[in-house]
Amino acid sequence: MEIQVTERRSRTRRKKTGVNIALSPDFDVRRILLPLYRHGKLPTAYLLAFRGGSYTAGRNRLTKLYHETAGENAHLIHRISPNWRYINPLYRDELYDLGEKGEDILRQAGLIGEYQNPLQQKARMREMVNLPHAVMISTTTASIELAAQKFGTHRFFSWDEVLEHMQPEHLDTSEVPFAMQADIGYRFDDRLERKSYKLIPDGVFVLKDQASSEAVGFAVEAENRKQSGASNLMHTSFLKTFLGYRSITRANAHRPIFGEKTSLMVLVVTRSQRKIEEMKKIIMQATDNKGSALFCFRHIPVLGSPEAAPKPDQTLFTGAWERAGHPPFYLHTLSDKPHR
DNA sequence: CGGCAAGGGTCACCTACTCA
DNA sequence: TGAGTAGGTGACCCTTGCCG
């Protein structure tokens, strides 16, 4: 009896065994590559939730897709675990990103258009610093799409589907497609400051009620800054973000993007309840204590508990999103009612 | 043969402890 | 105080066996 000793591959360096990986149009292309394109970087557990089927088989499949393009100059999927560990060294889950070859395959299959992901471009700069921010956005939109799929009450439209529905005359190729004109003013002590600028959301999606056809557009913002307040409108701040979105919805500047009948709401994800209280306070100050029905807040614990890898969170869809001066909002009813 | 599930080994971390 | 070691843990990888 001969004992076969096999060298274990490193999880961070590609090494192929040479097995044939014929891509399945459904399981591999539609349920793994497409979610990566739409949401951005996703941890293993999220990808396996999109893939469905057996958890073990899915994990084995991700391993093959990762390793078997070793030596090629374009890859199906990337692992970015060194940066991922930097966020929380306790996690062993991999963080996956779409590779160039994976994007080509999606395009050839006709599942995506020619455009580059405008929201991802924003995150690509200063990748290390922005990685926690990017992952907060991607896991939020992914959790909501997975829950909408599971409950079947709403159709989730991702950013690229929103782009496809846009009228061609609004698709200005010279600028980021989701940039919206914001004209804001604010009185600091006794100084009135004004500013005009283009606001680009961190994330974008639309939920459409399957029964009533009511659709609501959502902009997602991740708020990680240490300070939410501001003393001017020059620099980015939560105050500036709030005034920007308020100006956009008042002027209906979101309509060309989301459609004439679609309202816009803003989902703000952050890491602590304390941050939410700060931001609500800023809204109350800026609105003479009237509050805002537009802004919804939710804190996600720093990428899940320290002991476990982050898992899709369906309560982002079914649970309450707090608002300043208004009752909580529920995505699965598109209203302030907790039940349908 | 390929897809799948299960089980055990391996890796890359962790904490607690000992010792110079 | 810091280095080294032992033991623990979660996720990943590989092999095996089952099924059609």
Side-chain angles (χ1 to χ4, degrees), chain A residues 77-108:
Chain A
I77 51 178
H78 299 301
R79 280 176 178 172
I80 39 182
S81 38
N83 289 356
W84 181 230
R85 303 250 161 74
Y86 162 81
I87 298 176
N88 187 338
L90 283 170
Y91 294 148
R92 301 294 177 278
D93 240 15
E94 295 290 345
L95 181 65
Y96 287 95
D97 201 5
L98 184 63
E100 315 74 27
K101 188 174 173 182
E103 194 167 330
D104 283 347
I105 284 169
L106 286 169
R107 203 155 275 139
Q108 284 159 25

PDB file of all heavy atoms in Angstrom, chain A residues 77-108:
ATOM      1  N   ILE A  77     -11.788  34.953 -11.173  1.00  0.00           N
ATOM      2  CA  ILE A  77     -12.046  35.627  -9.898  1.00  0.00           C
ATOM      3  C   ILE A  77     -10.724  35.838  -9.153  1.00  0.00           C
ATOM      4  O   ILE A  77      -9.767  35.092  -9.339  1.00  0.00           O
ATOM      5  CB  ILE A  77     -13.021  34.822  -9.001  1.00  0.00           C
ATOM      6  CG1 ILE A  77     -12.552  33.365  -8.870  1.00  0.00           C
ATOM      7  CG2 ILE A  77     -14.429  34.867  -9.550  1.00  0.00           C
ATOM      8  CD1 ILE A  77     -13.434  32.516  -7.963  1.00  0.00           C
ATOM      9  N   HIS A  78     -10.712  36.874  -8.362  1.00  0.00           N
ATOM     10  CA  HIS A  78      -9.549  37.175  -7.530  1.00  0.00           C
ATOM     11  C   HIS A  78      -9.885  36.925  -6.070  1.00  0.00           C
ATOM     12  O   HIS A  78     -11.038  37.040  -5.656  1.00  0.00           O
ATOM     13  CB  HIS A  78      -9.142  38.648  -7.665  1.00  0.00           C
ATOM     14  CG  HIS A  78      -8.742  39.057  -9.041  1.00  0.00           C
ATOM     15  ND1 HIS A  78      -7.705  38.466  -9.721  1.00  0.00           N
ATOM     16  CD2 HIS A  78      -9.242  40.000  -9.871  1.00  0.00           C
ATOM     17  CE1 HIS A  78      -7.577  39.033 -10.913  1.00  0.00           C
ATOM     18  NE2 HIS A  78      -8.501  39.967 -11.026  1.00  0.00           N
ATOM     19  N   ARG A  79      -8.852  36.649  -5.316  1.00  0.00           N
ATOM     20  CA  ARG A  79      -8.974  36.644  -3.855  1.00  0.00           C
ATOM     21  C   ARG A  79      -8.138  37.787  -3.332  1.00  0.00           C
ATOM     22  O   ARG A  79      -6.995  37.944  -3.735  1.00  0.00           O
ATOM     23  CB  ARG A  79      -8.429  35.340  -3.274  1.00  0.00           C
ATOM     24  CG  ARG A  79      -9.384  34.196  -3.364  1.00  0.00           C
ATOM     25  CD  ARG A  79      -8.721  32.959  -2.849  1.00  0.00           C
ATOM     26  NE  ARG A  79      -9.650  31.844  -2.888  1.00  0.00           N
ATOM     27  CZ  ARG A  79      -9.303  30.602  -2.635  1.00  0.00           C
ATOM     28  NH1 ARG A  79      -8.054  30.308  -2.324  1.00  0.00           N
ATOM     29  NH2 ARG A  79     -10.191  29.650  -2.691  1.00  0.00           N
ATOM     30  N   ILE A  80      -8.696  38.548  -2.423  1.00  0.00           N
ATOM     31  CA  ILE A  80      -7.907  39.651  -1.874  1.00  0.00           C
ATOM     32  C   ILE A  80      -7.802  39.515  -0.377  1.00  0.00           C
ATOM     33  O   ILE A  80      -8.031  40.430   0.368  1.00  0.00           O
ATOM     34  CB  ILE A  80      -8.491  41.020  -2.287  1.00  0.00           C
ATOM     35  CG1 ILE A  80     -10.008  40.974  -2.257  1.00  0.00           C
ATOM     36  CG2 ILE A  80      -8.025  41.391  -3.654  1.00  0.00           C
ATOM     37  CD1 ILE A  80     -10.629  42.267  -2.710  1.00  0.00           C
ATOM     38  N   SER A  81      -7.414  38.332   0.029  1.00  0.00           N
ATOM     39  CA  SER A  81      -7.389  38.064   1.465  1.00  0.00           C
ATOM     40  C   SER A  81      -6.389  38.886   2.274  1.00  0.00           C
ATOM     41  O   SER A  81      -6.678  39.188   3.419  1.00  0.00           O
ATOM     42  CB  SER A  81      -7.168  36.584   1.727  1.00  0.00           C
ATOM     43  OG  SER A  81      -6.263  36.062   0.817  1.00  0.00           O
ATOM     44  N   PRO A  82      -5.213  39.263   1.737  1.00  0.00           N
ATOM     45  CA  PRO A  82      -4.316  40.046   2.597  1.00  0.00           C
ATOM     46  C   PRO A  82      -4.976  41.333   3.074  1.00  0.00           C
ATOM     47  O   PRO A  82      -4.911  41.670   4.251  1.00  0.00           O
ATOM     48  CB  PRO A  82      -3.125  40.342   1.685  1.00  0.00           C
ATOM     49  CG  PRO A  82      -3.154  39.274   0.670  1.00  0.00           C
ATOM     50  CD  PRO A  82      -4.608  38.966   0.444  1.00  0.00           C
ATOM     51  N   ASN A  83      -5.664  42.030   2.154  1.00  0.00           N
ATOM     52  CA  ASN A  83      -6.352  43.253   2.562  1.00  0.00           C
ATOM     53  C   ASN A  83      -7.537  42.959   3.466  1.00  0.00           C
ATOM     54  O   ASN A  83      -7.837  43.689   4.388  1.00  0.00           O
ATOM     55  CB  ASN A  83      -6.869  43.992   1.325  1.00  0.00           C
ATOM     56  CG  ASN A  83      -5.736  44.599   0.550  1.00  0.00           C
ATOM     57  OD1 ASN A  83      -4.585  44.522   0.972  1.00  0.00           O
ATOM     58  ND2 ASN A  83      -6.056  45.198  -0.569  1.00  0.00           N
ATOM     59  N   TRP A  84      -8.194  41.882   3.175  1.00  0.00           N
ATOM     60  CA  TRP A  84      -9.359  41.452   3.934  1.00  0.00           C
ATOM     61  C   TRP A  84      -8.974  41.206   5.385  1.00  0.00           C
ATOM     62  O   TRP A  84      -9.640  41.633   6.316  1.00  0.00           O
ATOM     63  CB  TRP A  84      -9.869  40.188   3.281  1.00  0.00           C
ATOM     64  CG  TRP A  84     -11.074  39.537   3.841  1.00  0.00           C
ATOM     65  CD1 TRP A  84     -11.180  38.216   4.165  1.00  0.00           C
ATOM     66  CD2 TRP A  84     -12.343  40.116   4.104  1.00  0.00           C
ATOM     67  NE1 TRP A  84     -12.444  37.954   4.600  1.00  0.00           N
ATOM     68  CE2 TRP A  84     -13.172  39.095   4.595  1.00  0.00           C
ATOM     69  CE3 TRP A  84     -12.852  41.398   3.999  1.00  0.00           C
ATOM     70  CZ2 TRP A  84     -14.490  39.314   4.951  1.00  0.00           C
ATOM     71  CZ3 TRP A  84     -14.156  41.627   4.367  1.00  0.00           C
ATOM     72  CH2 TRP A  84     -14.958  40.581   4.828  1.00  0.00           C
ATOM     73  N   ARG A  85      -7.849  40.549   5.577  1.00  0.00           N
ATOM     74  CA  ARG A  85      -7.392  40.244   6.937  1.00  0.00           C
ATOM     75  C   ARG A  85      -7.067  41.521   7.694  1.00  0.00           C
ATOM     76  O   ARG A  85      -7.147  41.577   8.908  1.00  0.00           O
ATOM     77  CB  ARG A  85      -6.141  39.354   6.887  1.00  0.00           C
ATOM     78  CG  ARG A  85      -6.371  38.091   6.124  1.00  0.00           C
ATOM     79  CD  ARG A  85      -6.381  36.863   7.015  1.00  0.00           C
ATOM     80  NE  ARG A  85      -7.019  35.758   6.345  1.00  0.00           N
ATOM     81  CZ  ARG A  85      -6.469  35.070   5.364  1.00  0.00           C
ATOM     82  NH1 ARG A  85      -5.259  35.365   4.948  1.00  0.00           N
ATOM     83  NH2 ARG A  85      -7.116  34.096   4.798  1.00  0.00           N
ATOM     84  N   TYR A  86      -6.691  42.522   6.907  1.00  0.00           N
ATOM     85  CA  TYR A  86      -6.342  43.785   7.516  1.00  0.00           C
ATOM     86  C   TYR A  86      -7.578  44.402   8.187  1.00  0.00           C
ATOM     87  O   TYR A  86      -7.491  45.055   9.198  1.00  0.00           O
ATOM     88  CB  TYR A  86      -5.767  44.692   6.428  1.00  0.00           C
ATOM     89  CG  TYR A  86      -5.734  46.161   6.725  1.00  0.00           C
ATOM     90  CD1 TYR A  86      -4.724  46.698   7.502  1.00  0.00           C
ATOM     91  CD2 TYR A  86      -6.714  47.000   6.218  1.00  0.00           C
ATOM     92  CE1 TYR A  86      -4.689  48.054   7.758  1.00  0.00           C
ATOM     93  CE2 TYR A  86      -6.692  48.353   6.469  1.00  0.00           C
ATOM     94  CZ  TYR A  86      -5.681  48.866   7.244  1.00  0.00           C
ATOM     95  OH  TYR A  86      -5.659  50.206   7.499  1.00  0.00           O
ATOM     96  N   ILE A  87      -8.744  44.140   7.611  1.00  0.00           N
ATOM     97  CA  ILE A  87      -9.978  44.642   8.212  1.00  0.00           C
ATOM     98  C   ILE A  87     -10.252  43.937   9.527  1.00  0.00           C
ATOM     99  O   ILE A  87     -10.516  44.531  10.546  1.00  0.00           O
ATOM    100  CB  ILE A  87     -11.187  44.400   7.292  1.00  0.00           C
ATOM    101  CG1 ILE A  87     -11.007  45.150   5.992  1.00  0.00           C
ATOM    102  CG2 ILE A  87     -12.470  44.827   7.971  1.00  0.00           C
ATOM    103  CD1 ILE A  87     -12.107  44.874   5.015  1.00  0.00           C
ATOM    104  N   ASN A  88     -10.234  42.631   9.485  1.00  0.00           N
ATOM    105  CA  ASN A  88     -10.461  41.859  10.705  1.00  0.00           C
ATOM    106  C   ASN A  88      -9.682  40.555  10.607  1.00  0.00           C
ATOM    107  O   ASN A  88     -10.120  39.625   9.954  1.00  0.00           O
ATOM    108  CB  ASN A  88     -11.946  41.587  10.905  1.00  0.00           C
ATOM    109  CG  ASN A  88     -12.190  40.935  12.249  1.00  0.00           C
ATOM    110  OD1 ASN A  88     -11.280  40.337  12.831  1.00  0.00           O
ATOM    111  ND2 ASN A  88     -13.395  41.054  12.748  1.00  0.00           N
ATOM    112  N   PRO A  89      -8.536  40.494  11.263  1.00  0.00           N
ATOM    113  CA  PRO A  89      -7.631  39.360  11.103  1.00  0.00           C
ATOM    114  C   PRO A  89      -8.230  38.033  11.539  1.00  0.00           C
ATOM    115  O   PRO A  89      -7.675  36.985  11.246  1.00  0.00           O
ATOM    116  CB  PRO A  89      -6.440  39.724  11.995  1.00  0.00           C
ATOM    117  CG  PRO A  89      -6.589  41.145  12.314  1.00  0.00           C
ATOM    118  CD  PRO A  89      -8.049  41.478  12.206  1.00  0.00           C
ATOM    119  N   LEU A  90      -9.363  38.067  12.227  1.00  0.00           N
ATOM    120  CA  LEU A  90      -9.924  36.807  12.713  1.00  0.00           C
ATOM    121  C   LEU A  90     -10.585  36.002  11.604  1.00  0.00           C
ATOM    122  O   LEU A  90     -10.747  34.808  11.710  1.00  0.00           O
ATOM    123  CB  LEU A  90     -10.962  37.082  13.801  1.00  0.00           C
ATOM    124  CG  LEU A  90     -10.375  37.429  15.151  1.00  0.00           C
ATOM    125  CD1 LEU A  90     -11.472  37.916  16.075  1.00  0.00           C
ATOM    126  CD2 LEU A  90      -9.675  36.229  15.756  1.00  0.00           C
ATOM    127  N   TYR A  91     -10.990  36.681  10.548  1.00  0.00           N
ATOM    128  CA  TYR A  91     -11.736  35.975   9.512  1.00  0.00           C
ATOM    129  C   TYR A  91     -10.855  35.066   8.689  1.00  0.00           C
ATOM    130  O   TYR A  91      -9.777  35.430   8.299  1.00  0.00           O
ATOM    131  CB  TYR A  91     -12.429  36.961   8.560  1.00  0.00           C
ATOM    132  CG  TYR A  91     -13.495  37.741   9.231  1.00  0.00           C
ATOM    133  CD1 TYR A  91     -13.779  39.020   8.846  1.00  0.00           C
ATOM    134  CD2 TYR A  91     -14.217  37.177  10.271  1.00  0.00           C
ATOM    135  CE1 TYR A  91     -14.755  39.742   9.468  1.00  0.00           C
ATOM    136  CE2 TYR A  91     -15.203  37.902  10.899  1.00  0.00           C
ATOM    137  CZ  TYR A  91     -15.462  39.178  10.494  1.00  0.00           C
ATOM    138  OH  TYR A  91     -16.422  39.890  11.107  1.00  0.00           O
ATOM    139  N   ARG A  92     -11.377  33.882   8.383  1.00  0.00           N
ATOM    140  CA  ARG A  92     -10.686  32.983   7.472  1.00  0.00           C
ATOM    141  C   ARG A  92     -11.385  32.958   6.127  1.00  0.00           C
ATOM    142  O   ARG A  92     -10.874  32.433   5.180  1.00  0.00           O
ATOM    143  CB  ARG A  92     -10.649  31.566   8.042  1.00  0.00           C
ATOM    144  CG  ARG A  92      -9.954  31.475   9.373  1.00  0.00           C
ATOM    145  CD  ARG A  92      -8.475  31.787   9.249  1.00  0.00           C
ATOM    146  NE  ARG A  92      -7.837  31.760  10.557  1.00  0.00           N
ATOM    147  CZ  ARG A  92      -7.882  32.786  11.393  1.00  0.00           C
ATOM    148  NH1 ARG A  92      -8.515  33.890  11.058  1.00  0.00           N
ATOM    149  NH2 ARG A  92      -7.301  32.708  12.560  1.00  0.00           N
ATOM    150  N   ASP A  93     -12.581  33.479   6.073  1.00  0.00           N
ATOM    151  CA  ASP A  93     -13.293  33.540   4.814  1.00  0.00           C
ATOM    152  C   ASP A  93     -12.492  34.356   3.815  1.00  0.00           C
ATOM    153  O   ASP A  93     -11.863  35.344   4.168  1.00  0.00           O
ATOM    154  CB  ASP A  93     -14.649  34.235   5.025  1.00  0.00           C
ATOM    155  CG  ASP A  93     -15.804  33.335   4.651  1.00  0.00           C
ATOM    156  OD1 ASP A  93     -15.584  32.128   4.511  1.00  0.00           O
ATOM    157  OD2 ASP A  93     -16.914  33.848   4.496  1.00  0.00           O
ATOM    158  N   GLU A  94     -12.542  33.929   2.564  1.00  0.00           N
ATOM    159  CA  GLU A  94     -11.891  34.712   1.526  1.00  0.00           C
ATOM    160  C   GLU A  94     -12.818  35.837   1.093  1.00  0.00           C
ATOM    161  O   GLU A  94     -14.036  35.748   1.223  1.00  0.00           O
ATOM    162  CB  GLU A  94     -11.583  33.834   0.315  1.00  0.00           C
ATOM    163  CG  GLU A  94     -10.574  32.741   0.586  1.00  0.00           C
ATOM    164  CD  GLU A  94      -9.179  33.297   0.811  1.00  0.00           C
ATOM    165  OE1 GLU A  94      -8.933  34.465   0.494  1.00  0.00           O
ATOM    166  OE2 GLU A  94      -8.327  32.539   1.311  1.00  0.00           O
ATOM    167  N   LEU A  95     -12.199  36.904   0.570  1.00  0.00           N
ATOM    168  CA  LEU A  95     -12.969  37.963  -0.061  1.00  0.00           C
ATOM    169  C   LEU A  95     -12.697  37.861  -1.562  1.00  0.00           C
ATOM    170  O   LEU A  95     -11.551  37.914  -1.994  1.00  0.00           O
ATOM    171  CB  LEU A  95     -12.536  39.323   0.472  1.00  0.00           C
ATOM    172  CG  LEU A  95     -13.272  40.536  -0.088  1.00  0.00           C
ATOM    173  CD1 LEU A  95     -14.730  40.511   0.319  1.00  0.00           C
ATOM    174  CD2 LEU A  95     -12.620  41.822   0.384  1.00  0.00           C
ATOM    175  N   TYR A  96     -13.742  37.695  -2.347  1.00  0.00           N
ATOM    176  CA  TYR A  96     -13.579  37.489  -3.786  1.00  0.00           C
ATOM    177  C   TYR A  96     -13.891  38.755  -4.556  1.00  0.00           C
ATOM    178  O   TYR A  96     -14.718  39.562  -4.157  1.00  0.00           O
ATOM    179  CB  TYR A  96     -14.502  36.368  -4.274  1.00  0.00           C
ATOM    180  CG  TYR A  96     -14.046  34.988  -3.864  1.00  0.00           C
ATOM    181  CD1 TYR A  96     -14.540  34.375  -2.728  1.00  0.00           C
ATOM    182  CD2 TYR A  96     -13.104  34.315  -4.625  1.00  0.00           C
ATOM    183  CE1 TYR A  96     -14.115  33.118  -2.344  1.00  0.00           C
ATOM    184  CE2 TYR A  96     -12.666  33.042  -4.264  1.00  0.00           C
ATOM    185  CZ  TYR A  96     -13.181  32.454  -3.121  1.00  0.00           C
ATOM    186  OH  TYR A  96     -12.758  31.206  -2.759  1.00  0.00           O
ATOM    187  N   ASP A  97     -13.200  38.895  -5.692  1.00  0.00           N
ATOM    188  CA  ASP A  97     -13.459  39.998  -6.594  1.00  0.00           C
ATOM    189  C   ASP A  97     -13.510  39.429  -8.010  1.00  0.00           C
ATOM    190  O   ASP A  97     -12.898  38.400  -8.289  1.00  0.00           O
ATOM    191  CB  ASP A  97     -12.336  41.045  -6.482  1.00  0.00           C
ATOM    192  CG  ASP A  97     -12.777  42.410  -6.996  1.00  0.00           C
ATOM    193  OD1 ASP A  97     -13.956  42.561  -7.344  1.00  0.00           O
ATOM    194  OD2 ASP A  97     -11.929  43.319  -7.038  1.00  0.00           O
ATOM    195  N   LEU A  98     -14.249  40.092  -8.892  1.00  0.00           N
ATOM    196  CA  LEU A  98     -14.373  39.619 -10.264  1.00  0.00           C
ATOM    197  C   LEU A  98     -13.078  39.858 -11.021  1.00  0.00           C
ATOM    198  O   LEU A  98     -12.476  40.920 -10.914  1.00  0.00           O
ATOM    199  CB  LEU A  98     -15.525  40.342 -10.965  1.00  0.00           C
ATOM    200  CG  LEU A  98     -15.859  39.889 -12.381  1.00  0.00           C
ATOM    201  CD1 LEU A  98     -16.327  38.442 -12.395  1.00  0.00           C
ATOM    202  CD2 LEU A  98     -16.903  40.800 -12.984  1.00  0.00           C
ATOM    203  N   GLY A  99     -12.628  38.875 -11.806  1.00  0.00           N
ATOM    204  CA  GLY A  99     -11.435  39.035 -12.628  1.00  0.00           C
ATOM    205  C   GLY A  99     -11.795  39.521 -14.024  1.00  0.00           C
ATOM    206  O   GLY A  99     -12.959  39.568 -14.397  1.00  0.00           O
ATOM    207  N   GLU A 100     -10.761  39.879 -14.797  1.00  0.00           N
ATOM    208  CA  GLU A 100     -10.969  40.451 -16.131  1.00  0.00           C
ATOM    209  C   GLU A 100     -11.611  39.412 -17.047  1.00  0.00           C
ATOM    210  O   GLU A 100     -12.509  39.715 -17.836  1.00  0.00           O
ATOM    211  CB  GLU A 100      -9.633  40.897 -16.728  1.00  0.00           C
ATOM    212  CG  GLU A 100      -8.714  41.662 -15.772  1.00  0.00           C
ATOM    213  CD  GLU A 100      -8.061  40.764 -14.714  1.00  0.00           C
ATOM    214  OE1 GLU A 100      -7.875  39.548 -14.984  1.00  0.00           O
ATOM    215  OE2 GLU A 100      -7.764  41.261 -13.609  1.00  0.00           O
ATOM    216  N   LYS A 101     -11.136  38.180 -16.952  1.00  0.00           N
ATOM    217  CA  LYS A 101     -11.678  37.115 -17.780  1.00  0.00           C
ATOM    218  C   LYS A 101     -13.141  36.842 -17.408  1.00  0.00           C
ATOM    219  O   LYS A 101     -13.984  36.602 -18.276  1.00  0.00           O
ATOM    220  CB  LYS A 101     -10.843  35.844 -17.577  1.00  0.00           C
ATOM    221  CG  LYS A 101     -11.172  34.711 -18.521  1.00  0.00           C
ATOM    222  CD  LYS A 101     -10.183  33.567 -18.308  1.00  0.00           C
ATOM    223  CE  LYS A 101     -10.571  32.335 -19.116  1.00  0.00           C
ATOM    224  NZ  LYS A 101      -9.629  31.217 -18.859  1.00  0.00           N
ATOM    225  N   GLY A 102     -13.421  36.909 -16.116  1.00  0.00           N
ATOM    226  CA  GLY A 102     -14.797  36.725 -15.657  1.00  0.00           C
ATOM    227  C   GLY A 102     -15.717  37.781 -16.240  1.00  0.00           C
ATOM    228  O   GLY A 102     -16.832  37.487 -16.661  1.00  0.00           O
ATOM    229  N   GLU A 103     -15.220  39.028 -16.294  1.00  0.00           N
ATOM    230  CA  GLU A 103     -16.032  40.111 -16.841  1.00  0.00           C
ATOM    231  C   GLU A 103     -16.255  39.913 -18.343  1.00  0.00           C
ATOM    232  O   GLU A 103     -17.351  40.126 -18.857  1.00  0.00           O
ATOM    233  CB  GLU A 103     -15.350  41.456 -16.567  1.00  0.00           C
ATOM    234  CG  GLU A 103     -16.257  42.638 -16.802  1.00  0.00           C
ATOM    235  CD  GLU A 103     -15.691  43.947 -16.241  1.00  0.00           C
ATOM    236  OE1 GLU A 103     -14.954  43.902 -15.236  1.00  0.00           O
ATOM    237  OE2 GLU A 103     -15.997  45.000 -16.821  1.00  0.00           O
ATOM    238  N   ASP A 104     -15.214  39.473 -19.055  1.00  0.00           N
ATOM    239  CA  ASP A 104     -15.347  39.179 -20.490  1.00  0.00           C
ATOM    240  C   ASP A 104     -16.417  38.127 -20.739  1.00  0.00           C
ATOM    241  O   ASP A 104     -17.221  38.243 -21.666  1.00  0.00           O
ATOM    242  CB  ASP A 104     -14.015  38.690 -21.063  1.00  0.00           C
ATOM    243  CG  ASP A 104     -13.052  39.840 -21.288  1.00  0.00           C
ATOM    244  OD1 ASP A 104     -13.508  41.000 -21.229  1.00  0.00           O
ATOM    245  OD2 ASP A 104     -11.856  39.575 -21.508  1.00  0.00           O
ATOM    246  N   ILE A 105     -16.401  37.093 -19.913  1.00  0.00           N
ATOM    247  CA  ILE A 105     -17.358  35.999 -20.088  1.00  0.00           C
ATOM    248  C   ILE A 105     -18.791  36.491 -19.873  1.00  0.00           C
ATOM    249  O   ILE A 105     -19.696  36.134 -20.617  1.00  0.00           O
ATOM    250  CB  ILE A 105     -16.998  34.839 -19.143  1.00  0.00           C
ATOM    251  CG1 ILE A 105     -15.795  34.096 -19.720  1.00  0.00           C
ATOM    252  CG2 ILE A 105     -18.177  33.892 -18.940  1.00  0.00           C
ATOM    253  CD1 ILE A 105     -15.167  33.108 -18.789  1.00  0.00           C
ATOM    254  N   LEU A 106     -18.981  37.359 -18.880  1.00  0.00           N
ATOM    255  CA  LEU A 106     -20.310  37.930 -18.650  1.00  0.00           C
ATOM    256  C   LEU A 106     -20.764  38.744 -19.853  1.00  0.00           C
ATOM    257  O   LEU A 106     -21.929  38.726 -20.245  1.00  0.00           O
ATOM    258  CB  LEU A 106     -20.289  38.814 -17.402  1.00  0.00           C
ATOM    259  CG  LEU A 106     -20.238  38.109 -16.054  1.00  0.00           C
ATOM    260  CD1 LEU A 106     -19.949  39.102 -14.942  1.00  0.00           C
ATOM    261  CD2 LEU A 106     -21.557  37.397 -15.782  1.00  0.00           C
ATOM    262  N   ARG A 107     -19.824  39.472 -20.431  1.00  0.00           N
ATOM    263  CA  ARG A 107     -20.148  40.330 -21.570  1.00  0.00           C
ATOM    264  C   ARG A 107     -20.497  39.479 -22.789  1.00  0.00           C
ATOM    265  O   ARG A 107     -21.478  39.734 -23.488  1.00  0.00           O
ATOM    266  CB  ARG A 107     -18.954  41.244 -21.862  1.00  0.00           C
ATOM    267  CG  ARG A 107     -19.311  42.499 -22.598  1.00  0.00           C
ATOM    268  CD  ARG A 107     -18.312  43.607 -22.340  1.00  0.00           C
ATOM    269  NE  ARG A 107     -18.610  44.346 -21.126  1.00  0.00           N
ATOM    270  CZ  ARG A 107     -17.696  44.747 -20.256  1.00  0.00           C
ATOM    271  NH1 ARG A 107     -16.418  44.439 -20.429  1.00  0.00           N
ATOM    272  NH2 ARG A 107     -18.059  45.412 -19.183  1.00  0.00           N
ATOM    273  N   GLN A 108     -19.698  38.444 -23.028  1.00  0.00           N
ATOM    274  CA  GLN A 108     -19.977  37.543 -24.157  1.00  0.00           C
ATOM    275  C   GLN A 108     -21.322  36.855 -23.999  1.00  0.00           C
ATOM    276  O   GLN A 108     -22.012  36.574 -24.968  1.00  0.00           O
ATOM    277  CB  GLN A 108     -18.871  36.490 -24.281  1.00  0.00           C
ATOM    278  CG  GLN A 108     -17.586  37.012 -24.890  1.00  0.00           C
ATOM    279  CD  GLN A 108     -16.394  36.138 -24.542  1.00  0.00           C
ATOM    280  OE1 GLN A 108     -16.569  34.954 -24.257  1.00  0.00           O
ATOM    281  NE2 GLN A 108     -15.207  36.702 -24.568  1.00  0.00           N
TER     282      GLN A 108
END
